[in-house]
Amino acid sequence: MKRAFFTLLVLVCGVAARAQGPVEAAPSPPPVRSTRPKIGLVLEGGGALGLAHVGVIQVLEELHIPVDFIAGTSMGGLVGGIYAAGNTPQEMKALVRQIHWNDVLRGRTPYRQLLFRRKEDRRDYPNRFEFGLKKGVQFPSGFNSGQDVGLILDQLALPYTEIGSFDQLPIPFRCVATDLETGEGHIFDRGSLGQALRATMSLPAVFPPVERNGKVYVDGGLVNNLPVDVVRQMGADVVIAVHLATAPFQPHEPLSSLGVLGRSLAVVIALNEKHSLDSLTKADVRIDVDLAAFDTTDYNNFEKIEAAGYKSANAAKDMLAGLSVDNATFAAYEERRLNRKKELPVPRFIEVQGTRPEIKEGIQHELAALVNRPIEIDELNTKMTDITGLGRFNRAGYRLVDRDGKQGLLVQVDEKPYAPPTVQPLLAIDGSDFRQVLFSVGARITFLDLGGYRSELRTDVIAGSKYGLSTEYYHPLGRFSNWFVAPRAYVSTGPFNLYTDNRIFAEYRQKIIGTGVDVGYAFTRNSELRFGYDVGFQKLSRQIGLPELPTLRGRTGVTNLSYVLDRTDDPTIPGQGLRMRTQFKWLDANPGSTEQFPTVEMRGGGFQRTGERSSLFLLASGGSTVGRNPDGLPPFSLGGPLRLGAYGINELLTNQYFLFQPGYLYRLKQISPFLGDSVYLLGAYEVGKAYGSLSKSRLPQDGTGGLVIQTIFGPVFIGGSVGDHGHRAFYFAVGRLF
């Protein structure tokens, strides 16, 4: 089953599968020539396994074997492109080590760099699914937007974006992609180097295909995973081919339908590899790298995979010895290669392509500080990720262009072809009381630029245990203004249960309808201030149980002032940062109450990493009616998961409370980035006070523990709490945690 699972991952990780079975005997060493032959290097695709090529290249340099031509496919194309661009093996290792591979394969904009409203989306809808309604129901063309991969390639290719041919690189280079229209291989030999490398690595359904000159290209491993013939055509006299050999297929292992599909793809690619190795254009020197102990997704085992490549190439040094040159010849070769390496110029302008004029103007406004000063790659990459954090683009990349004799940066943004409007689906399972599990489905639909640039209409729909419809129109008061106005309307109905000793003693139904408007100021991507007024109608009616509360109905009127700050690094399971919400309300009308009264509530949490896998956190909250004791439904409550979990939801109703929750998070293991993120162990101590409640405890408290699994469907929490006076509970949920 494990082999079948990883064979499937070959299909979904943007890489090509490897030929299976035992390696063949290597051919005899090529004869020594009186004049140096032109040497071509061919690098095979293979996902994480392709990182073994770095070790092979290191051995070639140690043996003073000059490489005159390089051709590669998929990951072989990426490694070959890095080497062809003039990087040494040591520089290649440093580049690979600094890549956070799980983040790259997960393909999501970092939470810290999202626009404030996009952060709200990620918190409220923490799954990874999104589709659009631009031309009917449309889904993304790839599981991964390719933004992180694209930035790596743009960084590599930036000095060479204006060259006429890949022959002008420090080492002439080619890579292979598949033309979806013809089903044939396409050899990239000119144009944008970054675009060519994206095309050779773009496995269908994982990364979006690359469109160029009216053609659509995907991963070249489908047609020519080991392009020996390509490097022959470049003029190589001697061809060194690096083959990545994995464990043979085990027919006795069970295969799912998807496993069969993945294995079938492996067979297709193995056939084109066999053709490359055994045809008339076969390699003169074949280096077989034994990678049976690794899988195509083992990016975090880079050092071991690179070492395997080094070991295999070093074992073949007797066969390679005939291609070595003397020190003087190799030094001259290195000097020629170094002289062809280009340095980055100082950009004199910024140009944006791929979107409407008003959006271009906004992006150019944000990037203006990059003009007339040396390019800092980290800063430039951060700016590109900030652009994708707006939520309207699949990716943002860059290259150099020449305009009227001046060099500048061309920023290419790719709008989502399927949106707006954007649809984020919701699946919510609330097992706060496992005896009465609540289940709901819904969606958030967002229209952009309605009524002006940066304006948006956001509508939420939910059905199931709870029904609701809400909509808000967000409109900035100026094209680049941080001030905004936000009218809204909402209606909802759902259960409102009352507990005692963690058991339901009354079931109520709460219905709310209302409308309101806010005026606000967006300080940064991390914080927002709002002031507004809501008016509506609320009804709370008993369905089953004792009449603890009378039926309440009537008008609501609320003036509110709120401030939200979110500097955390994750919407659901933060490991670092601060999150806070402060809200003041003045209720001039409230069902069951004959007086006006204020409320103040603050909720916050700080998260601090204590190690690579662990974090400490402290959550604190408190609320008060500021000395008033209004009639009707109390505005605050404690009870339920991470709100004194040993107590039932709404078990402690109060006009004034506080709650402290110190805790610890430990990452047990990482899971495939295509299935989620990590599995965490959570432990917390909770102590609070609900003034005026009927609790038997002066300071209700409990200990909470459980597992949190970050999945593509959202965080899954399974745990329980044990508290004082016999309170205890087991619960689970899919949805937001903190």
Side-chain angles (χ1 to χ4, degrees), residues 157-189:
L158 185 59
Y160 305 102
T161 49
E162 287 294 290
I163 61 175
S165 165
F166 293 170
D167 287 338
Q168 296 175 269
L169 290 167
I171 302 175
F173 172 71
R174 303 287 187 271
C175 62
V176 180
T178 302
D179 185 333
L180 278 185
E181 181 182 2
T182 65
E184 298 176 349
H186 177 83
I187 302 170
F188 282 91
D189 61 359

Side-chain angles (χ1 to χ4, degrees), residues 390-472:
L390 299 174
R392 63 173 72 233
F393 303 111
N394 261 340
R395 68 172 303 271
Y398 51 85
R399 60 187 177 92
L400 292 171
V401 292
D402 190 280
R403 299 284 188 263
D404 300 323
K406 296 180 180 180
Q407 287 196 304
L409 280 172
L410 174 64
V411 174
Q412 177 68 45
V413 294
D414 298 335
E415 291 190 338
K416 295 178 178 179
Y418 55 90
T422 301
V423 181
Q424 296 168 278
L426 171 70
L427 170 65
I429 303 174
D430 183 358
S432 302
D433 182 350
F434 70 91
R435 295 157 298 190
Q436 188 180 40
V437 178
L438 305 179
F439 179 88
S440 299
V441 295
R444 171 167 287 176
I445 307 169
T446 305
F447 293 82
L448 298 180
D449 302 330
L450 287 181
Y453 172 53
R454 295 172 55 221
S455 297
E456 60 181 69
L457 179 68
R458 195 166 68 180
T459 301
D460 294 295
V461 181
I462 189 169
S465 301
K466 178 180 180 180
Y467 293 87
L469 174 66
S470 64
T471 187
E472 179 184 76

Side-chain angles (χ1 to χ4, degrees), residues 351-371:
E351 183 178 320
V352 179
Q353 288 184 355
T355 188
R356 302 193 306 277
E358 63 271 19
I359 303 176
K360 289 182 185 180
E361 183 181 351
I363 295 174
Q364 289 177 179
H365 178 77
E366 293 294 326
L367 301 179
L370 300 178
V371 177

